[in-house]
Every structure is written in C-alpha cells, then in structure tokens.
Amino acid sequence: MNLSMKDIANALNVSKTTVSWVLAGQGDRRKISLSTQEKILAYARKVNYQPNLLARSLTNGSSNTLGLVIPSIDDEFYAHIAREVEMEAEKYSYSLTFCSSETDPKRESRIIRMLKSKRVDGLIIAPTKHSREELDILVEEKYPFVLIDRYFPELDTNYIILDNEGSSHQLVTRLVRDGRKKIALITSDTHLLVMNLRRDGYRRALSEAGLPAIPALYGEVKRGEYVTDIIRVLDGIFTEVPDVDGFYFSTHYLAMEALRYFYRHGMDITEKIGLACLHTVSSFEILAPRMYIAEQPIREIGRQAVQILVNELKSADREKTKMVLPAVMNFNE
Amino acid sequence: MNLSMKDIANALNVSKTTVSWVLAGQGDRRKISLSTQEKILAYARKVNYQPNLLARSLTNGSSNTLGLVIPSIDDEFYAHIAREVEMEAEKYSYSLTFCSSETDPKRESRIIRMLKSKRVDGLIIAPTKHSREELDILVEEKYPFVLIDRYFPELDTNYIILDNEGSSHQLVTRLVRDGRKKIALITSDTHLLVMNLRRDGYRRALSEAGLPAIPALYGEVKRGEYVTDIIRVLDGIFTEVPDVDGFYFSTHYLAMEALRYFYRHGMDITEKIGLACLHTVSSFEILAPRMYIAEQPIREIGRQAVQILVNELKSADREKTKMVLPAVMNFNE
DNA sequence: CTGAAAGCGCTAACAC
DNA sequence: GTGTTAGCGCTTTCAG
C-alpha cells in the first residue's frame, strides 16, 4: 500500500533523515542540496506519499487532534456546536474526533478515556450530570480541556456557558411586559445546575414584577420520557390554572413538544398565550414566530472553546478561562 | 503523566512482555503465574494505566477506528446517520472519527487523505458531486470503504442508497390518486445522480397517470442560495400555473423553505394543494401533517454501512455490496 | 550537505 | 513461566 520514508530513502539512495527533512519543508534550513530536494519531492509526489500520522504522533507525543464529547449529535444544538468546533479547529490545523455520550455517564467515561488513550491533545466536553469523577481525573492529570454548555462551579476548569439565569430573566420579563400574569415554567433535568439557574431567572423575573409564584404553574417533565410526560404536565396545568397565559420553556425540545400539543389542541398561541424559550431549533421560526427566544451564541462557543484549548496547549499552566456568554435574543430589550 | 508498560515492568521487576500479556488478558494462555498476574493487574489499576493507542495501532497496523465523511453535520439527516454509525461501530468495538466536508470537494479530499494517514481501518462516505478522483484512488488502493446516500454507478464500490426513482414514483403517484393534476417538481443539485433519479420517478408517475409534463411546473432551485431562490421559483410557478394543485419536493430543505413560503402567503396546504417530499425533518409532522413523506431508512443505512465495512475488514477482496433500500412511507400503498 | 542511531510505546516471534 | 529482541514509521540529536 502506502510507501514509507524508508522506502523513499532506499529508492533514492539517501537516508531516511534527509527524506524527513525535505518532506517536512526543512530542506533549505538544513541546507540539503536543491537537486536532492527536488528528487525527493518529485518521487514522493509520484508515489503519492502520505505520512503515517500514527507514527508521527507517537514520536511527537501529540496527535494534533482535539476531541469533542457531546451528549448527542442528534440534537441540533450540539450538531451546530460540532460544526463550529470543527471549522475553528481546522484554522489551527487541528483535526477533530467527536464522540457522543448519549448522556450515558458510563459511555462518557469510556469515551474520555479512549480519547486520552488516542492521545488527543485536548478535550472539549459538554458534560452530563454525573461526569464529575472523570473530570476530577482530568484536572488532576492537568489534561487540557474545556467544558461547554454545562459546568461544575466547584471545579477549577475552563468553561464557556450561557448566562442561564440572566437569559431566563430576560425572557420571562419580556412576557411580563406583554401583560402575562400566569406564566408557567416547563422544565426538566432539574439535577443539572444550568436548569436550576434557568428556574432562578424565571423566579426572579416574577418576583420583580410582583407576581406570585403559583406552584401549579411549575411543570417538571421527566427526561427520557418527555414526549409523553409533557402531555401529563400540560394537561395538569390547564386543569388547575385554566387561565394560564404564558409558558416559559427552559429548553427547546420541551417547547417543541408543547407546540405539538398546542397544535393538536388547536390552541391560540398568538394572542391568548405568550411563549418564551431558551434555545431554539430552526422550525420555531415557522411554528411559533412570536415566541421569544434566547439563542445560544453557538459560533462564539465553538470558537472560544477551540481557542482556549489551543492557547493552553501552547503554554500550559495558565489561568483557567471562565466565560459566561449572553444569549442572542430574537426581540428587543 | 501516564505510565507505560515499561514503567510498570520496571516497577515490578518483570519484563514488558509479561506486562503486555497480562494486560491483554492472555495471562492464562501464556501461563503466567497467578501471583505475577495479580501483581501486575493490581499495579496497573493503582496507577490507572491507560494503553497508548497510538503505539498499539502503529504496531498492529490498524487503529480500530472507522472514518465517517459527510457533507454537513448540520443536516439533520447526516446527524442521524452519524449517530447510527457511531452506535453500530461501537458494537464491533470500533470507534468513529467523523468529519464533515461542507460539500467542498477540496475539503473532502483533504479529509479522506487525513483519515487514511491516521490509518482508520475503513471509511464511510456520503460523497459530494466531485468526489470521483479521490474515490478512484481508494478503489485502486483497495482501501475499504462504503458509499452512502450517493454513489457512482460506474465504480465498483460498496454502496447503500435509497431507491430514489421508486420512492419518487410512489410519492407522486399518491398525489395523483388524490386527484392532483398539476403537480410541480421542486428540485435542486441536479448534477447529482440521485436527483435525476428522483426526477425520473416523478416523470414516470405522471406519464403512467396520463398527465402531461408541463415545463412551467418544473422548478429548479439554485443550491447554495436556495433560501432566496426558491421564492423566485415558487413565484414563477404560481404566476404561470395559478391552478397548480400539488408539489413534490425532491428533498427536505426545499420543502422546508416552501412551507415557510406557503405560511407567509397564508396558503391552504391541506385541501387545495397536495404535498409530497422525499426525506423529512421532525418539524414536518407539525408544519404539514398531511404531506406525503418518504423517509430514508436511517438506522438501516448506518447499520449496514458498518457491517459491510467490518466484513470487508475481516476478509478482503469480497464482492462489493450494492444495496438499494426502499424508503419508509408515512402513508399506505 | 548528509547519515547513523536512538527512541516514542506497544506486540509477538523466539528463545531459555 | 518469563525475558530478549526486533520492528511498526517517524523525528531529532549528534557526528561526520
């Protein structure tokens, strides 16, 4: 199959070293004669020489590869992130190996170990709830990594997250300004810190507006079976608070299922019910054009994540970067 | 950082080989004494030994990794494919490195070369239009790979594709059965073979139904600027054929933009206009519940792709597998 | 200007 | 039962 440097060296009666220099573009610096250089270059091109990156990485102790670990590539949000990260990594001539944990902590651990074993130079991780142990190890080993989307405040790591509390607050406040008085919160995955922050923002907005926090307006959906469970939750809210006039969804897939529900029940989600959601998917624009949306700054997250990693790889032991990014709103003030 | 086998061997006063045997689970077969085995295992666990997969791959000449090359991870369809492939690969304890070509042939070439250089054991490729050269090389090198979604009939390769002509024919025939007589075809990327096949299916359905092929009902949208160009196309059709009563979209993103258009113009897409589309995205279920849809058998594609590759890796030089899969319809007959 | 040789961490044929 | 050794393909120090 593929020829190696040795093959080229033998064929041309030069040494492996010379071939290596030339192919690495160091011919001039090493003062290899032009004739030799050209001979090597020509031959390499002719036989379509491709370096064995495994060998190179082994020698160099670095694979020029970044690893991305996300809960699920099926999720539009993470798919976008993956894209941005890949593009940005390419700018620094890193390639990307991506794996999805399927929100299974065991899988996640396995993946992280595997990526380390493959000697990826750094990791970008959107951690699941139970990632702590594995992250502890990374911290201890000083393995370069940056968390995105979720984080652990007690851990001194790089992270880039959304201003969850603030965005929530803005969204709910916007509903309040429309005169909504009975705004339900639909949420899930409440063991996640970010979800609590979103709830906090919701509560703060209500209390600042002098609105009561009605327990019946709190809808918690079981993750995993959210497609069916949200029906139970919404049914419950409409029975107990028939004049509910607003919904704030803590994440996009909840909004999606709720929209399905509203459409099935022929409900008026333009006048009678105000909607807001943190995160978005492209179809919301059509399905619920008047829904207030706080979007994740996906491009920014992807870019920063790569840059933080690249910087850390250049000079280890720098301060950890902790970024809290504002959301991008589809409305004013 | 990570200890190597040598370190373990030194620390325990045994040889690298012994460590290698034991850690590879060959202790019993190689008749290493139980005490030694336990000593090694215990120590490895204690220092949290992780093998260097680069070194192992270099030695073994195989990385236990498959590569997936897709046009864009942003696309729901390919994201799903990526997920299935990853899960299936895991069953055979292969890991997955995925890259997206962004439908840029140069990028695609680069990616394929890079993956080969990293010595991935096999490739799953959803090729872009101009992939021929790179594929020719793969064929010549006998590098194991399988094409999905698109293929080159003149190339003897593994491939798994949808029955494009047949699915199209079924969709359009279904519209005809509803009494639609002026069915427009909205398509794009017409240099792709699969797109031509879809057009052929449309035409066959019309001709079998004795319906004329009205040129004004053929809408070709420029890829790349389809979001704006589709408006021009649809405007054109509605002006020239005001009583158009059906639309067949050759792919999901065209349907998506058309729906946007129909909604903006407040058009009746339940009674007056019949819709059909090859491919789907989740929001269609809400946006256009009555649209006839032919779905790609994503799971099947992902599974088969991996299995074909795994089989080929076990025994090279087998016959190439060429699969044409039927679509999954959301309607009867 | 060019080459020899060591070493990255692992496996496996071949001793003893 | 265990160790020696060579080699995977590359980079890089040191010697000519």
Side-chain angles (χ1 to χ4, degrees):
Chain A
M1 213 202 75
N2 242 319
L3 297 188
S4 70
M5 286 193 170
K6 196 168 89 184
D7 299 321
I8 299 185
N10 289 341
L12 262 34
N13 275 314
V14 295
S15 81
K16 259 174 34 174
T17 316
T18 308
V19 177
S20 179
W21 293 135
V22 173
L23 259 26
Q26 313 220 332
D28 290 345
R29 200 158 67 71
R30 294 286 160 177
K31 311 206 182 184
I32 310 279
S33 72
L34 267 177
S35 64
T36 313
Q37 291 204 43
E38 275 168 9
K39 197 171 58 174
I40 293 175
L41 255 12
Y43 190 78
R45 204 165 16 237
K46 191 183 110 199
V47 300
N48 189 25
Y49 168 76
Q50 301 289 134
N52 183 325
L53 258 28
L54 289 176
R56 179 179 290 172
S57 300
L58 181 60
T59 303
N60 292 341
S62 135
S63 60
N64 251 275
T65 302
L66 265 24
L68 173 66
V69 183
I70 54 182
S72 162
I73 191 63
D74 255 12
D75 186 321
E76 219 177 284
F77 169 63
Y78 292 115
H80 285 313
I81 289 278
R83 181 173 185 284
E84 292 301 332
V85 168
E86 191 186 15
M87 299 308 259
E88 186 70 12
E90 191 179 42
K91 283 193 202 154
Y92 298 91
S93 42
Y94 279 91
S95 57
L96 217 220
T97 286
F98 114 94
C99 294
S100 80
S101 65
E102 302 302 323
T103 63
D104 170 355
K106 296 231 191 312
R107 253 185 86 85
E108 193 184 52
S109 281
R110 212 158 9 114
I111 286 169
I112 292 179
R113 296 216 177 133
M114 191 266 289
L115 290 172
K116 286 198 295 184
S117 277
K118 285 199 175 175
R119 298 299 184 264
V120 301
D121 298 325
L123 250 18
I124 297 172
I125 309 175
T128 61
K129 38 203 164 180
H130 303 109
S131 313
R132 270 298 305 279
E133 306 169 41
E134 208 57 40
L135 296 183
D136 283 341
I137 299 179
L138 288 177
V139 170
E140 197 192 336
E141 290 176 336
K142 306 205 179 201
Y143 206 101
F145 74 104
V146 36
L147 301 181
I148 57 172
D149 194 36
R150 303 163 183 179
Y151 78 122
F152 296 87
E154 69 277 22
L155 241 45
D156 181 34
T157 72
N158 298 305
Y159 62 75
I160 309 173
I161 53 156
L162 188 71
D163 177 6
N164 288 282
E165 203 274 347
S167 317
S168 263
H169 177 263
Q170 274 188 77
L171 286 168
V172 178
T173 301
R174 190 65 191 73
L175 287 175
V176 169
R177 283 197 48 238
D178 280 350
R180 310 296 175 185
K181 301 219 176 308
K182 301 200 167 173
I183 303 168
L185 168 66
I186 307 297
T187 189
S188 183
D189 272 330
T190 48
H191 38 79
L192 287 178
L193 176 60
V194 295
M195 288 307 194
N196 289 328
L197 292 172
R198 292 175 195 179
R199 183 205 53 210
D200 292 347
Y202 161 83
R203 291 200 179 144
R204 180 159 67 90
L206 291 192
S207 97
E208 282 179 9
L211 292 172
I214 307 173
L217 287 176
Y218 174 77
E220 181 170 338
V221 177
K222 291 198 197 82
R223 181 71 209 247
E225 38 186 307
Y226 70 93
V227 174
T228 53
D229 198 47
I230 197 167
I231 298 174
R232 177 188 65 77
V233 167
L234 292 174
D235 280 346
I237 290 176
F238 280 111
T239 332
E240 297 202 36
V241 191
D243 57 341
V244 52
D245 61 2
F247 283 89
Y248 166 52
F249 304 99
S250 68
T251 190
H252 59 297
Y253 57 82
L254 296 175
M256 189 70 188
E257 288 311 315
L259 288 175
R260 222 186 278 275
Y261 179 100
F262 296 150
Y263 273 83
R264 255 199 315 263
H265 291 69
M267 293 176 152
D268 173 15
I269 54 168
T270 56
E271 289 302 327
K272 276 184 61 183
I273 296 178
L275 302 176
C277 181
L278 201 148
H279 260 224
T280 186
V281 290
S282 51
S283 50
F284 284 170
E285 202 189 325
I286 303 182
L287 287 173
R290 302 180 54 173
M291 179 154 67
Y292 297 121
I293 288 171
E295 253 188 89
Q296 299 252 17
I298 293 183
R299 172 152 302 181
E300 184 78 359
I301 295 175
R303 289 193 178 172
Q304 293 292 351
V306 172
Q307 286 177 17
I308 290 173
L309 228 38
V310 169
N311 285 331
E312 189 157 320
L313 289 173
K314 273 197 282 224
S315 55
D317 267 332
R318 30 166 62 224
E319 287 276 293
K320 298 300 172 209
T321 308
K322 298 167 199 303
M323 303 186 75
V324 177
L325 299 177
V328 179
M329 304 296 183
N330 74 340
F331 58 93
N332 292 322
E333 81 219 59
Chain B
M1 213 203 74
N2 241 319
L3 298 188
S4 70
M5 286 195 170
K6 195 170 90 183
D7 300 320
I8 299 185
N10 288 342
L12 262 35
N13 274 315
V14 294
S15 82
K16 261 175 29 175
T17 315
T18 309
V19 178
S20 179
W21 293 135
V22 173
L23 260 26
Q26 314 219 332
D28 290 345
R29 200 158 67 71
R30 295 285 160 179
K31 311 207 179 183
I32 311 280
S33 71
L34 266 176
S35 64
T36 313
Q37 290 206 42
E38 275 167 9
K39 198 170 58 173
I40 293 175
L41 255 13
Y43 190 79
R45 205 167 12 241
K46 192 183 108 200
V47 301
N48 188 25
Y49 169 76
Q50 302 289 134
N52 184 325
L53 256 29
L54 290 176
R56 180 178 290 173
S57 301
L58 181 60
T59 302
N60 292 340
S62 135
S63 61
N64 251 274
T65 301
L66 264 25
L68 173 66
V69 183
I70 54 183
S72 162
I73 191 62
D74 254 12
D75 186 319
E76 219 178 283
F77 169 63
Y78 292 116
H80 286 313
I81 289 277
R83 181 172 184 284
E84 291 302 332
V85 169
E86 191 185 16
M87 299 308 258
E88 186 70 11
E90 192 180 41
K91 284 193 201 153
Y92 299 90
S93 43
Y94 278 91
S95 58
L96 217 222
T97 287
F98 113 93
C99 294
S100 79
S101 65
E102 303 301 323
T103 63
D104 170 355
K106 295 230 190 312
R107 253 186 85 86
E108 194 184 53
S109 281
R110 213 161 5 117
I111 286 170
I112 293 179
R113 297 216 176 131
M114 192 265 288
L115 290 172
K116 286 198 296 183
S117 277
K118 287 199 173 176
R119 296 300 184 265
V120 301
D121 298 325
L123 250 19
I124 297 172
I125 308 176
T128 61
K129 37 202 163 181
H130 303 108
S131 313
R132 271 299 303 278
E133 305 168 44
E134 208 55 41
L135 296 183
D136 282 340
I137 298 180
L138 288 176
V139 170
E140 197 193 337
E141 289 176 336
K142 304 204 180 202
Y143 207 100
F145 73 105
V146 36
L147 300 182
I148 56 173
D149 193 38
R150 302 165 183 179
Y151 78 121
F152 295 87
E154 69 277 22
L155 240 46
D156 180 34
T157 73
N158 299 304
Y159 62 75
I160 309 173
I161 53 156
L162 187 72
D163 177 6
N164 288 282
E165 203 272 348
S167 317
S168 263
H169 176 263
Q170 274 187 76
L171 286 168
V172 177
T173 301
R174 189 63 191 76
L175 287 175
V176 169
R177 284 198 47 240
D178 281 350
R180 310 296 175 186
K181 301 217 177 309
K182 300 200 168 173
I183 303 169
L185 168 66
I186 308 296
T187 189
S188 184
D189 272 330
T190 47
H191 38 78
L192 287 177
L193 176 59
V194 295
M195 288 307 193
N196 287 328
L197 291 171
R198 292 175 195 178
R199 181 205 55 209
D200 292 346
Y202 160 84
R203 290 199 180 146
R204 180 160 66 92
L206 291 192
S207 97
E208 283 179 11
L211 292 171
I214 307 174
L217 287 176
Y218 175 76
E220 181 170 339
V221 177
K222 292 197 196 86
R223 181 69 209 248
E225 40 185 306
Y226 71 92
V227 174
T228 52
D229 198 46
I230 197 169
I231 297 174
R232 176 188 66 77
V233 168
L234 292 174
D235 279 346
I237 290 177
F238 280 111
T239 336
E240 297 202 36
V241 191
D243 57 341
V244 52
D245 60 3
F247 283 89
Y248 166 52
F249 304 100
S250 69
T251 190
H252 59 297
Y253 58 84
L254 295 175
M256 189 70 188
E257 288 310 315
L259 288 176
R260 222 186 278 278
Y261 178 99
F262 295 150
Y263 273 83
R264 255 198 315 262
H265 291 70
M267 291 176 153
D268 173 16
I269 54 169
T270 57
E271 289 302 329
K272 277 184 59 184
I273 297 178
L275 302 176
C277 181
L278 201 149
H279 259 224
T280 186
V281 291
S282 49
S283 49
F284 284 171
E285 203 188 325
I286 304 182
L287 286 173
R290 303 179 53 172
M291 179 154 68
Y292 298 120
I293 288 171
E295 254 188 89
Q296 298 251 18
I298 294 182
R299 171 153 304 180
E300 184 77 359
I301 295 175
R303 289 194 177 172
Q304 293 292 351
V306 173
Q307 286 177 17
I308 290 174
L309 227 37
V310 169
N311 286 332
E312 188 156 321
L313 290 174
K314 273 198 282 225
S315 55
D317 267 333
R318 30 166 61 225
E319 285 279 292
K320 298 301 172 207
T321 309
K322 299 166 198 303
M323 303 187 74
V324 177
L325 300 176
V328 179
M329 302 296 183
N330 74 341
F331 58 92
N332 292 322
E333 82 219 58

